[in-house]
Amino acid sequence: MARVVQKYGGTSVGSVKKIENIANRVARVVEDGNEVVVVVSAMGKSTDQLVQLANDITKNPSKREMDMLLTTGEQVTIALLTMALQKRGVDALSYTGGQAGILTEANHGNARIREIDSARLNEQLEAGKVLVVAGFQGIMEDGSITTLGRGGSDTTAVALAAATKADRCEIYTDVTGVFTTDPRYVEKARKLQAISYDEMLEMANLGAGVLHPRAVEFAKNYDVPLMVASSMVEETGTMIEEEVTVEKNLVVRGIAFENDVTKITVAGLPNRIDSLPKLFSILSSHGVNVDIIIQNQYDANHVNISFSITQCSLKDTVACLEQAKEELEFETLHHEEELAKVSIVGSGMISNPGVAATMFEALAKNDIFIKMVSTSEIKVSAVVSEDDMVMAVEVLHDAFKLDEVLAEAPEKQLV
Ligand code: ADP
Ligand code: ASP
Ligand code: MG
């Protein structure tokens, strides 16, 4: 007997028929003698539809009421799935995030889980109940309902697996596992047997929407064995674990990408020691999240600073910089929209100096112009035009031979 947390995403519970199908799957796992916690998302695109309803009323809804609204989506699913399980004779009970003891920080819209009071869940599991918990939600200390950020049901599942000391956490979705890159965009994408927590965390943070980044963080911090697999097809999924033993020496394991990147250039800043701290403290006091930063000399007395932000913070960024123009003493402000960030990720990169060169050569050979670059020990990111994004991913997928299973030596992967 094992204690298992299973999570089913929006597409997997998108209709009554699909919910009945998930109930059959869960009933089988229960019949096999396992203790089961099921975490579910809102049905299909219903979270998007709820967002639209709010936007139809106001362009600026209060964050508290937005959370109140969005959490209803998951509550529909927990009730329906529990009914479907009960119809099959399974002793199931539904729980909202708050009822499941998920306490979050006071931050509507994107709250982090602070702790989980798992006493009640553990008691019910030991009493033989199957628990169906609403993903993506928790409560603040004052009892207000919060959400964990879009895609946050994954995090609910992994956090509950850690809190209930489950043997494993299984994330069921509309793909058969974690692929070398998003299979919806790249036909040659290949399913990985395994990926390390660190690689998956980079991939998730760099745009691979298959897992919520905080879910991976939780899994790593609490050593939760995590698996991603299909909710529809019986096929072995991908294991996310501390050390990967299959294809151990991969230099690049995957490619992540995201669009809606904007580059801002503050030109002609005084070449003084206080220019940079002043600029970035103004940005941070306005809540602007900056990603890649590049500085270069403009003339003897001036520098240019370029940085990337998400498209949605462009208006606020330009407004706060224009307002601070006199204080910062810069000459001009430029921005470039419709950019994308394409990132290669792999823990074998640390000891392989040629990786960035291979990446840049492959992009250049295909006339893809790189506008910004950033690196860490296990990733290289390049900002390119949004129009080039998918082609850049395909080119890099070929350059690093990601469609081929690596037999032994890492050098094989480099062209
Ligand atoms: P769910 O509703 O089940 O949470 P999501 O849409 O959040 O599903 O995540 C699954 C989607 O993630 C897939 O349909 C796929 O398009 C996308 N995806 C992005 N990157 C990857 C990747 N590297 N491997 C697999 N899927 C990926
Ligand atoms: N329903 C939420 C969303 O669409 C949470 C989730 O599916 O993980 O973002
Ligand atoms: Mg998801």
Side-chain angles (χ1 to χ4, degrees), residues 54-74:
N55 286 342
D56 289 346
I57 289 186
T58 166
K59 288 284 159 270
N60 202 10
S62 103
K63 286 186 163 183
R64 183 184 187 280
E65 300 318 317
M66 241 0 235
D67 279 354
M68 187 64 87
L69 177 69
L70 297 194
T71 47
T72 62
E74 270 67 16

Side-chain angles (χ1 to χ4, degrees), residues 7-12 41 151 154 171-175 177-185 200 203 207-211 255 257:
K7 179 250 166 179
Y8 293 94
T11 327
S12 313
S41 292
D154 299 333
I171 307 284
Y172 290 104
T173 182
D174 58 1
V175 279
V178 177
F179 282 63
T180 47
T181 192
D182 190 337
R184 248 193 279 178
Y185 289 81
M200 191 63 237
M203 290 275 286
V210 64
L211 277 176
I255 305 175
F257 53 93

Side-chain angles (χ1 to χ4, degrees), residues 264-270 276 279 293-299 302-307 331-332 334:
I264 305 272
T265 302
V266 185
L269 265 176
L276 224 67
L279 170 63
I293 302 170
I294 290 174
Q295 171 176 320
N296 50 47
Q297 190 95 17
Y298 171 66
D299 62 28
H302 296 91
V303 290
N304 288 348
I305 306 285
S306 296
F307 57 87
E331 286 170 5
T332 51
H334 313 272

Side-chain angles (χ1 to χ4, degrees), residues 100-383:
I102 300 174
L103 194 69
T104 72
E105 60 180 20
N107 178 17
H108 286 293
N110 196 17
R112 281 178 175 271
I113 296 176
R114 270 186 27 199
E115 61 180 85
I116 298 184
D117 178 1
S118 58
R120 189 166 172 194
L121 295 187
N122 283 326
E123 224 172 75
Q124 297 288 349
L125 279 172
E126 273 148 34
K129 308 272 185 212
V130 170
L131 311 179
V132 182
V133 183
F136 171 61
Q137 56 178 260
I139 51 165
M140 286 161 34
E141 214 148 15
D142 73 358
S144 307
I145 296 175
T146 49
T147 55
L148 311 181
R150 295 302 304 268
S153 297
D154 299 333
T155 301
T156 305
V158 184
L160 285 177
T164 59
K165 300 195 168 46
D167 295 288
R168 57 182 190 272
C169 181
E170 303 169 343
I171 307 284
Y172 290 104
T173 182
D174 58 1
V175 279
T176 52
V178 177
F179 282 63
T180 47
T181 192
D182 190 337
R184 248 193 279 178
Y185 289 81
V186 178
E187 216 184 305
K188 279 186 175 173
R190 170 174 67 89
K191 186 176 71 182
L192 294 164
Q193 272 189 65
I195 181 167
S196 74
Y197 290 134
D198 288 335
E199 289 168 329
M200 191 63 237
L201 190 56
E202 283 282 10
M203 290 275 286
N205 275 321
L206 293 166
V210 64
L211 277 176
H212 196 235
R214 282 183 202 149
V216 189
E217 245 174 69
F218 257 104
K220 179 175 166 62
N221 291 343
Y222 293 90
D223 243 331
V224 178
L226 185 59
M227 189 195 78
V228 175
S230 164
S231 62
M232 292 140 216
V233 197
E234 294 282 337
E235 194 179 305
T236 317
T238 303
M239 281 305 302
I240 298 117
E241 52 205 354
E242 186 62 41
E243 286 272 341
V244 174
T245 48
V246 281
E247 296 189 88
K248 204 174 168 170
N249 295 320
L250 268 189
V251 176
V252 176
R253 201 173 297 275
I255 305 175
F257 53 93
E258 59 191 356
N259 55 5
D260 284 342
V261 174
T262 297
K263 177 181 168 187
I264 305 272
T265 302
V266 185
L269 265 176
N271 191 8
R272 281 199 315 253
I273 195 156
D274 63 338
S275 287
L276 224 67
K278 244 201 235 166
L279 170 63
F280 286 97
S281 61
I282 286 171
L283 291 168
S284 105
S285 66
H286 285 80
V288 176
N289 222 333
V290 171
D291 184 14
I292 303 172
I293 302 170
I294 290 174
Q295 171 176 320
N296 50 47
Q297 190 95 17
Y298 171 66
D299 62 28
N301 301 318
H302 296 91
V303 290
N304 288 348
I305 306 285
S306 296
F307 57 87
S308 65
I309 52 169
T310 54
Q311 165 68 28
C312 62
S313 44
L314 173 62
K315 228 168 104 200
D316 288 349
T317 309
V318 170
C320 85
L321 289 177
E322 289 291 4
Q323 208 185 4
K325 191 170 181 192
E326 256 175 49
E327 186 189 345
L328 291 168
E329 301 172 54
F330 64 83
E331 286 170 5
T332 51
L333 188 65
H334 313 272
H335 67 264
E336 191 176 355
E337 294 176 71
E338 294 176 10
L339 302 178
K341 185 166 72 171
V342 175
S343 310
I344 52 172
V345 175
S347 43
M349 246 177 238
I350 300 175
S351 49
N352 260 279
V355 180
T358 305
M359 178 184 193
F360 301 155
E361 268 167 31
L363 294 175
K365 243 191 244 162
N366 288 275
D367 292 325
I368 299 172
F369 199 84
I370 301 173
K371 294 162 193 278
M372 299 177 109
V373 171
S374 92
T375 63
S376 80
E377 285 185 327
I378 65 164
K379 70 117 200 253
V380 183
S381 300
V383 172

Side-chain angles (χ1 to χ4, degrees), residues 3-19:
R3 183 171 284 188
V4 188
V5 177
Q6 297 196 324
K7 179 250 166 179
Y8 293 94
T11 327
S12 313
V13 292
S15 65
V16 164
K17 198 165 162 229
K18 286 183 170 177
I19 289 177

